[in-house]
Amino acid sequence: MPLFALVDGNSFYASCERVFRPDLEGKPIVVLSNNDGCVVARSAEAKMLGIKGFLPYFQIADLCRRHGVAVFSSNYALYGDMSARMMQVIGRWGLEQEVYSIDESFITLDGIPTLRDYATRLRADVLQRVGIPTCVGIGSSKTLAKLANHVGKVFPKARGVFAWDWLAPEWQDKLMARIAVGEVWGIGRRLTEQFANMGIHTALDLKHADPKMIRRQFSVVIERTVAELNGISCLSLEDVSPAKQQIIASRSFGQLVTDFDTLASSLTHHACRAAEKLRRQHSEARLVAVNIHTNRFRVQDPQYNGWLVVPLVHPSSDSVVITSAAMAGLQQMYREGYHYKKAGIVLMEISEAGREQRDLFTPLPDPRRTALMSTMDRINREYGRGTLRLGSEGIRKDWAMRQEKRSPCWTTRWDELIRVR
């Protein structure tokens, strides 16, 4: 029987900030979204102050000042690098590993005899090498491992480690009866409401639900969830993450934008970032969607929402081709006299590079362009993002995110390395 463990970083973004600020140990921390708009992460101390997730920051600014809450802008360069380091350490402890998200990783522990000691030493290793506190949940299926992780996190007696096999079956059921069904992996708010109408309120209720009825009412995916809650493993580890079928690159502006050139500059930046992601997964896109819109909360301003999909003659991952399509879309959508808040790109109809049927009546793409994009990516990886970029992206970025409270990129920028005196 397989044995899965889910290891995740506690309050990951806040913990990343605390690694390089030991003076914040035991103090409340919140991390804000792009443009410092709302709360996207909180430390346990901030949660105890009653700060909820996704609250607009202006609503809690006074509370943060009164209680000395450390407030940070999102620093994704730091979080991404810390995640890679954490996953590398976790991977040494598992027979197999699947990195599920920036702060979560599944590993298999088949045949490990002293699980409690093993998982405790795993947590200590991650804390010592990376500085991130973690929780470990263990079960005979991925869904049970995820639920065990929840138990390890919310029940202090578990001390961050919990396995369902440590409890007798009747005690497992008693514990599941205390867990809301919404805490089960894959059961969102909408399903929770539907389950409530059917008298399914807890994880135990779902475990004992009739699988055939669940399949008829919902889907085979939820039927598998019921099986996994009963210890029947239906989901294996994914060795390779599947390629994304849609790539989105968009950001709100740090200040309202009214002119075409600034919109074009921001869309060029997003198009190049999206194309770079496309090349990284060895894919091409056939459709480029462009979106610009005003701030719907500024009711005193005239409102406009532009959305246009531009098809490409040949599927492409070329930054110039995708940017040209985005600019064509922008020229059709742009309206003067509006205060724009956000612009973005969506790449769709994505397929593996070189597998699409080409158009026989138009010239094929120049193969040297592939080498050019590859060289551009290599230089930007070695010398820093943006070292080589399209001229239309511009040098000044008046549209860039606000990020007034961003911490230094301690681990990825030479000029922001921590100094020890």
Side-chain angles (χ1 to χ4, degrees), residues 295-314:
N295 186 349
R296 62 188 174 89
F297 295 107
R298 286 177 59 90
V299 293
Q300 71 274 26
D301 291 346
Q303 299 294 312
Y304 175 66
N305 187 1
W307 166 266
L308 192 70
V309 178
V310 182
L312 302 178
V313 176
H314 296 291

Side-chain angles (χ1 to χ4, degrees), residues 201-344:
H201 302 284
T202 68
L204 183 65
D205 294 336
L206 186 58
K207 176 185 175 183
H208 290 164
D210 179 2
K212 293 181 180 177
M213 181 274 291
I214 290 292
R215 184 172 186 168
R216 283 197 305 273
Q217 295 277 341
F218 300 96
S219 67
V220 69
V221 175
I222 307 302
E223 183 189 25
R224 286 180 189 153
T225 299
V226 175
E228 291 233 323
L229 284 174
N230 283 280
I232 303 169
S233 176
C234 304
L235 304 171
S236 57
L237 293 194
E238 294 181 355
D239 297 328
V240 180
S241 300
K244 293 180 179 177
Q245 296 303 303
Q246 189 181 69
I247 292 177
I248 301 173
S250 68
R251 287 284 185 274
S252 296
F253 302 130
Q255 55 192 17
L256 295 176
V257 169
T258 57
D259 64 289
F260 180 90
D261 290 343
T262 306
L263 284 174
S265 174
S266 71
L267 281 174
T268 299
H269 174 78
H270 296 320
C272 291
R273 288 285 297 123
E276 183 185 337
K277 292 179 182 177
L278 205 54
R279 294 193 292 274
R280 197 181 305 152
Q281 66 174 30
H282 308 290
S283 301
E284 294 174 329
R286 181 177 284 279
L287 300 177
V288 179
V290 189
N291 174 237
I292 55 175
H293 64 77
T294 52
N295 186 349
R296 62 188 174 89
F297 295 107
R298 286 177 59 90
V299 293
Q300 71 274 26
D301 291 346
Q303 299 294 312
Y304 175 66
N305 187 1
W307 166 266
L308 192 70
V309 178
V310 182
L312 302 178
V313 176
H314 296 291
S316 178
S317 61
D318 189 314
S319 295
V320 177
V321 173
I322 291 173
T323 299
S324 298
M327 292 303 103
L330 178 62
Q331 286 174 345
Q332 291 189 52
M333 285 190 307
Y334 176 69
R335 303 286 184 274
E336 289 187 356
Y338 292 95
H339 296 85
Y340 294 98
K341 177 62 179 174
K342 189 173 184 178

Side-chain angles (χ1 to χ4, degrees), residues 2-7 93-96 107-113 115 118-119 122 136-138:
L3 198 59
F4 299 92
L6 178 70
V7 188
W93 289 82
L95 304 176
E96 301 170 286
I107 56 175
T108 53
L109 299 176
D110 307 7
I112 303 296
L115 278 177
Y118 193 84
L122 186 163
V136 183
I138 303 169

Side-chain angles (χ1 to χ4, degrees), residues 59 62 85 104 119 126 131 143 157 185 190 211 214 218 278 290 304 323 329 334 343 355-356 358 417 419:
Q59 291 185 6
D62 288 341
R85 292 164 189 254
E104 295 177 296
V126 175
T143 302
K157 286 185 179 178
W185 190 24
R190 195 179 65 176
I214 290 292
F218 300 96
L278 205 54
V290 189
Y304 175 66
T323 299
Y334 176 69
R355 291 294 181 90
E356 280 289 322
R358 304 295 184 180
L417 278 176
R419 296 183 180 184

